Amino acid sequence: MSLYGAGGGLVVKVGHWSRCMGRGGGVVVSMAQETPPARGCKLPRSGSRSRSRGRREGKSRSVRSNLLAGGAKAGEPPGRLHASNRLKTTKYTLLSFLPKNLFEQFHRFANVYFVFIALLNFVPIVGAFQPELALTPVVFILAVTALKDLWEDYRRYRSDQEINHMDCLVYCRDEKKYVEKYWKEVQVGDFVRLRCNEIIPADILLLYSSDPDGLCHIETANLDGETNLKQRQVIKGFTELETEFDPMKFNSVIECEKPHNDLNRFRGYIVYKNEKRAGLSKDNLLLRGCTIRNTEEVVGIVIYAGHETKAMLNNNGPRYKRSKLERQMNVDVFWCVIILFVMCLFSAIGHGLWVAQYGDQRPVFDVLGSDGTSLSPALSGLYLFFTMIIVLQVLIPISLYVSIEIIKICQVFFIHQDTDLYDEETDSRLQCRALNITEDLGQIQYIFSDKTGTLTENKMVFRRCTVAGVEYSHDANAKRLAMYQEPDSEDEECTSKSGAIPRCDSTSSHQSAKIVHRTQSTKSHRRTGSRAEAKRASILSKHTAFSSPMEKDITPDPQLLEKVNECAGQLEALRQHGQPLSHLTPELSDIIDFFIALTVCNTVVVSSPNQPRHKVRVRFELKSPVKTLEDFIKRFTPSRLTSGSNSSSSSSISTSKSLYRVSSSAIPSPSGEVTLLKMGEELGRSPQRDKSENFFQPGMVRDNGKDGELRYEAESPDEAALVYAARAYNCALVERLPEQVTVELPHVGKLTFELLHILGFDSTRKRMSVVVRHPLTDEIVVYTKGADSVIMDLLQQPSTENSTSKRTRKIRNKTQNYLNQYATDGLRTLCIAKRVLRKEEYARWLENHLEAESSVESRDELLFQSAVRLETDLQLLGATGIEDRLQDGVPETIANLRKAALQIWVLTGDKQETAINIAYSCKLLGHDEEILTLNAESQEACTALLEQCLNYIKSKSPQNKRFSVAENPSVDFIPSNGTSVTSPTLRPNFSLVIDGKTLSFALEKTLEDKFLALAQSCRSVLCCRSTPLQKSMVVKLVRDKLKVMTLAIGDGANDVSMIQVADVGVGISGQEGMQAVMASDFAIARFRHLQKLLLVHGHWCYSRLANMVLYFFYKNAMFVALLFWYQFFCGFSGSAMIDQWYLIFFNLLFSSIPQLITGILDKDVSAETLVALPQLYKSGQHSEEYKPYMFWMNMIDALYQSLICFFFSYWAYQDSDVDVFTWGTPITTLALFTILMHLCIETKTWTWMHVVSITFSILLFFTVALSYNAICPTCYPPSNPYWTMQRLMADPKFYLICILTPVAALLPRYLYRIFQGTLFPTPIQRGRQLDRLHPVACSHVNKWNAQGNWSATPKPDLVMPLSKDSGIGADESSSSTSQNVTLDTNQISNGPLNKQQTPELRETSLPTMELAGGAKYSLPNGNSSSVSIRNAQSHLHELQRSELATDLPFTEGGVRLNAHSGVDPSNIHLLNWRTPTPSTNDTMCFFHSSSHCSLQTQTVRGERCVPGNIEPEGMKLSKEVFPGTSHISTHVIPRNSLQESSLEMTPL
Amino acid sequence: MSPGTGWETAPEMPGSSREEDGAASKNKPDNTAFTQQRLPAWQPFLSAGYVLPAFFLLGLIFIAIGLGLYFTSNNIIEFELDYTGNSPNSSCHHCTRNNTTNCKCTIHFKVDKVLPGPVFMYYKLSNFYQNHRKYGVSRDDDQLNGDLDYLKVPSEYCFPFRLDSQGRPIAPCGAIADSLFNDSFVVYKINSSGVSKVSLNGKGISWWSDYNVKFNNPKSDNGTLEQTFQGTVKPNNWPRPAYELATNPENNGFINEDFIVWMRTAALPTFRKLYRRIDDGMQPGNYSVEISYNYPVLSFNGQKRITFSTISWMGGRNAFLGIAYLVCGSACIVTGIVMFIVYIKYQGQHVFKEE
């Protein structure tokens, strides 16, 4: 109970933390919930401060206790030298805000430009407007930005305050005890006492822990999101303290690195008074922001404080990238500048000429300059140039940047709000960490994906293993997994689909989805597991990492279980009889070693859910792993003298460990060599001793067994999987302490292994090892587990030809075979090996190792070498196959992304076979593809290979069809399904598989072009065994060389570099912590979210922004051109017929809101269609919404429209007595109307917000104009427009011209749009045509519903513009132009709704539906009359099938067909489905034609959604929905043709 | 998970499972039509089939309006008399010579049809850039509004027509006022019986709002307009000071309607300004205009004309709007027809048909 109590506390605390850290410290978690922060929460202050301090400090930092500082100068402790713990993330102070903020804003070129122009107005000779007025827009925009910054800064200030005023206990010298202090008062060198569940206020070196082993557990979720507990250790030399740590006595000096942001690195040493040194590592450091767990009390000395803590150094805030669209836009802004320049120059020259034509005789209207003299034509031309810049300044859109920012913020908001991107299991939404590259999502061309954790769940499930050359297939386990698989996928299917229902009424369908969930779990018991389990697992995962029930409950293989039991029995028997273990048969001994290795060789932390891990034990002097040579000798040299007394004194202590420990404690006079030799003898006797000590163990075991469930917290899911697997065989890891591991074996009971070393896993070695002392044999054993390729190379080479070596070789070969098999099955393989060390060997190694450990400079390298020395001559025990299941929806997502012409590369560290297999299962590789595998050992070989492949591909291209594979021995072609003979018209698909080594060659400068050429001609590329660096190199190469938009997606730390390099980095917040997320621009919970993120949101963001930008350019150009034309009629004098108020506020007020609304809300194609037709994504990839020529087209259109607007008014008012502003105001009005109507044409989807915004704009204009023209009769010189608008509005001419001109101006564009949409519709426009059906269908639904009559509603045939030449999927199209694909498009949009029709069918007992086309659709349920709800089950099935079949044509066939031109066009008539004599067979054959996967999910979906509708709401909904779906199955085709085409479509 | 902990059983209970839903999914975004971007929407579809009727309708309406406008405009009678005098045989040629003052010339013209009243008489200047930027700003609205302060201290905008060489303020200041059009016209009808003066009405030729609100004479507590203008000087080009512009006090000073009309700067370099109204209309016959030719325009290639025009509800004669409407309407119809053809031809192919 106490844990849960504490847990509750934790939650509160954590919540508090993340809240109060806000932007400051909630490094990961809270970022996305923030409103978009300003650029640069980079803590510029702290940065500069630490830099300057760094110079003072030199290379390292030395920390002393503050308590020692002479005592006198309390105000100036040595800690002052370093940053204090006060957090200041604010950028401004009250005083500095204005100058600093302005300074920052003027970093933007645009702002400088606008201010320059505004200031230009103050120069009288060029001033065009009232200077004050000209300043307003700039000031307005600056003020808005400043206010935003101020608000953000204030929030930062608040959160800083909150954090700074948190309490902690700091040792006070004067009071000689710990006193409460604010966090901000903590200084470097202070001693801080922390209690359980407290948040660590600074980076603290652990000096004391209440834990008897000097341990401290921390949770780093605030830092990296990992929820598992991490152990930290008291530094060496302080563990031995008998009494409570007294800070006053601390007189050592700590030398450590300067602050840096690497969370996983901390190096330094502590120098004791006696000049002794001890190394410090990250294991001794408590990081700010983490939480103390499971430890009552710790004391430490502050090493880094405040901004120098690692947590703060890691907090870089959101990233700012520049999107492709923006880059393109900037080019066009540049063009605008040039256009502006040209216009101004033209005007200047024109003015010069105009002035010159009058010669010396100045006309009365050419007013003298300010000095009273007339200017020369050239000079007045020059002045005019600047005047014109002011007048035409609007061409460079002042509000464009602001608008873009607003739009992006809203886009981020909408992406963030999408329920489809919400993952229920982890309760996480999508996070947008980069705020300004949303539109890049719509332009991605290459996706680089990690495999593990990205495509797969990273939920490692133990599947099978091989021990000593014998395979244990774990069939039962496989079945169990299948059980999980099924309901899960079904669940997903239903939720995802229901999320994507095109709603007429969103709430009702939402309800129905909920109902569906609930009823599903109550109804079918078989599946109760799924959702509930998932939910429980998600709750659990907050406490324990990686332990969903699926991973935990492993069904043991009976054969192996029996062997284990037998083995354990024998072991026990042997021990009972005092016989050495070598009496075990090699196989059994291997088995037991195998399981011990599984249990021991890891870093899993054990905890029991029911009790906190507060160990209450007597402290012993020997705790830590062997750290010194003396220590080693001491430990391994038993002394009878001491042991006797000690054992007697401690016999009352019940743990075996303690007894053992004591008995092997130190002896006074060790002399290296001798003792080492003696040791063997001594150790020989130890089993005996162990046995006796273990005698009273079983009772405890049972105790423990009752509350049973120990929780394992592992750093990687593989480890947890293995430990759980071992537990399934009753080899349970019971306890792990830094220096010992307790394992519980069947029969034998608890065994405690003394843990001498852990050589942790790293990606270079690809293995980890533990060195333990075996309690039964007292041997020193190295257990190693690692990647098979590595381990296999390290195995002992059998030197002699005896039976043992034969056996070894046999085991090795067999294991290798099984490994290959596992890999083919897509399992992750790990090899388990051991090595028994002789004492001398160990001693020698230890010496080296200790040296390595204590070295400060090249420590890492030395440790690596040391590990390599240890991990040789291994003896293979066995291998495991761990399944990493594909995430839900991955194949579908990949298939869809593929259809969107996205190149998907998978970069994985996994082995080739596994990777290929996963690639197959996630449909990355198809069976119709040829796989080119590149495995080269040298640069030359790689070159040759690449060339061969290129040639091969060339030869395979349509010109020369035939090619013999056999000629190419080194190129490993895997022809699958005999598809090497492809149809001559089709270009064969290639896929490239390359391994890490070859990749490193291929990435060389000389080869990269060839590699790229090859990769480009392949459909997919799979890079196996690649290192993080290689991943990023590949991404970089592709990005830079091919000039494409890249997206990298990954979940682990190894993907970080790749994510950072790519144009868009996506992190999956999955099992492996948050590092990837922290580096990413977008963080999603599941791979399948990528589909909606890219296809829907990406597309929308891109098309919205592209259209908005284009429109912006158009708008400004059109408006400015009006002024330019006027120059021809005013002597190029820079005068404007448009009142300066209108001129300045036109952009800011009158025309800005509609365009923002459109930019935020416009949908060119609905989400459903975008997902259903991924081909539409291509428009973004090819930048079709915003191509360079479009800018010019828009400019030309703007020119034309402005000409119309100008000259229509010109001619209409020609020869009249109109004055400047009475003439200019209608022009303004016209321009506004034209611009708004232009927007109307460009707006694809209208909602009430669009209408309101446009109405508002027009009303605003008239309101402003009317009031502005009425307020003051003498103000606003020079226009002084008093009563102008009022007078105009009484003039019919004004209205006449306002009607005519916009029509004339927009006619060409409108016509173009219409003809283009009719004759040459783009795929997007076709998509919209599909979309249009959706609202229609909805209204039909409502209509029919009202009539209550749906039985005989004919549905008109819908002619779908999806013919093969239509451009959708046009790349593969070949011939047949006029072929229509008849599709019921309702199925696209209404697909998900269809499933709800079933109960309706039953209730109303609709046996027959007359449908358009004369086809008669009889329900295939045989008895066509009524089907009652009560006996519905069997009929239900059939109904669902039939309904599914009607469902399928679009989802499976409609799109797919377009991609397969091999199908005879006549069969495309297709997808239609005639049931003259309806039978289930019909539908079934259809199922077979579609892919297996979809069959399953569809069926399942149908089934499980049905019961929900029994509920009243469901009924209601389905009533609404049903009529719309009743006309689904109206199409008639011969059955056999359907089969034929479908089979062609998906070769199974 | 250990059996017997709360978690195991919780999901089995329907009530608690729903509670958990709420608790566990606190991050779940709101499912509203707005946040999910599912607001009810209308998609205008730019395809021939949908816009055809609109086009025909629009075309017809436009043609109708166009016809109406065209005939209205055609019914307006308008004629112009050029009196610039730049051609030697022009009757005003003698006035174009330098240093002629108080030059008068007469132009004869004939009216064929009855011009129903009111007939508007304009003077029209060409190539006169009243819309020049520096010219256009060169005025002081406050001064013109009768503000005494500004009368004495005119605005900087008036420069260089703000103060005279002695530093006295100019009233009215600025280039526009300075260049006031000062030709005047008298129209005579030549009957068989003799010559009769046609009565020209100069009242209400300016905007009501200008005359009544924007422009005001400065008013001091006592004294005439002249006294109020004391201390100011007349604009350089003016023959008389502002308070002597007319005899009628309602039309004198800043509220002289000719002055007000002039001060409303024209939009285009060729412009006309209302000079007088002939309320009774003009009968057919011979007329003459006696022109006091004062205003020099030849230096900037200007032209001076007198225009007589009847008006309609849509103002003066302007065929453009009518023609534009007709052209646009026809264009709509034509494109409608083209679209119809396209629609017939392609409807099966690309256009989605809907009953």
Side-chain angles (χ1 to χ4, degrees), chain A residues 1161-1218:
Chain A
L1161 290 178
D1162 196 23
K1163 294 194 281 188
D1164 52 351
V1165 187
S1166 73
E1168 294 79 26
T1169 313
L1170 282 173
V1171 171
L1173 299 175
Q1175 291 87 339
L1176 301 181
Y1177 188 73
K1178 285 178 195 162
S1179 76
Q1181 288 170 331
H1182 305 149
S1183 302
E1184 276 169 16
E1185 307 273 336
Y1186 183 20
K1187 287 192 182 262
Y1189 81 86
M1190 287 179 175
F1191 170 75
W1192 295 109
M1193 291 294 287
N1194 262 291
M1195 285 291 151
I1196 290 168
D1197 194 29
L1199 217 64
Y1200 163 79
Q1201 290 186 18
S1202 64
L1203 277 176
I1204 291 284
C1205 282
F1206 183 83
F1207 281 102
F1208 270 39
S1209 334
Y1210 173 75
W1211 283 317
Y1213 286 97
Q1214 203 181 16
D1215 265 357
S1216 69
D1217 56 345
V1218 72

Side-chain angles (χ1 to χ4, degrees), chain A residues 1076-1091:
Chain A
V1077 169
M1078 278 162 73
S1080 67
D1081 303 316
F1082 298 90
I1084 55 180
R1086 303 246 132 207
F1087 183 78
R1088 69 180 142 83
H1089 290 166
L1090 199 60
Q1091 179 174 335

Side-chain angles (χ1 to χ4, degrees), chain A residues 239-240 242 619-624 646 661-662 665-666:
Chain A
T239 34
E240 287 80 4
E242 295 287 333
R619 298 172 64 89
F620 297 98
E621 57 267 64
L622 281 176
K623 305 210 147 46
S624 55
N646 271 1
R661 278 301 176 85
V662 174
S665 57

Side-chain angles (χ1 to χ4, degrees), chain A residues 336-443:
Chain A
C336 279
V337 172
I338 289 183
I339 293 173
L340 175 73
F341 188 80
V342 168
M343 280 172 144
C344 294
L345 199 64
F346 189 93
S347 304
I349 293 170
H351 187 64
L353 293 177
W354 183 83
V355 171
Q357 76 174 341
Y358 296 110
D360 295 334
Q361 271 194 308
R362 290 194 85 79
V364 281
F365 44 79
D366 190 8
V367 180
L368 297 172
S370 54
D371 54 350
T373 58
S374 61
L375 296 163
S376 73
L379 201 57
S380 49
L382 179 72
Y383 287 144
L384 189 91
F385 180 81
F386 291 105
T387 307
M388 285 310 285
I389 288 184
I390 301 172
V391 173
L392 305 182
Q393 61 171 316
V394 192
L395 190 62
I396 317 292
I398 186 167
S399 46
L400 178 59
Y401 293 96
V402 182
S403 304
I404 285 179
E405 243 174 61
I406 293 172
I407 286 182
K408 281 183 177 172
I409 285 171
C410 294
Q411 284 176 344
V412 165
F413 168 78
F414 278 122
I415 295 176
H416 193 219
Q417 284 293 325
D418 194 335
T419 42
D420 289 346
L421 300 180
Y422 166 77
D423 185 50
E424 211 154 327
E425 217 168 287
T426 51
D427 188 33
S428 57
R429 302 178 185 192
L430 175 136
Q431 301 175 31
C432 292
R433 294 175 48 82
L435 302 167
N436 50 358
I437 55 165
T438 44
E439 69 274 15
D440 270 353
L441 289 174
Q443 298 195 277

Side-chain angles (χ1 to χ4, degrees), chain A residues 429 536 552 1104 1212 1296, chain B residues 1 8 27 37 267 318 325:
Chain A
R429 302 178 185 192
R536 231 180 310 148
K552 282 159 61 184
R1104 284 166 182 176
L1296 284 172
Chain B
M1 199 60 237
E8 183 81 83
N27 266 334
Q37 306 190 57
N318 191 330
Y325 264 97

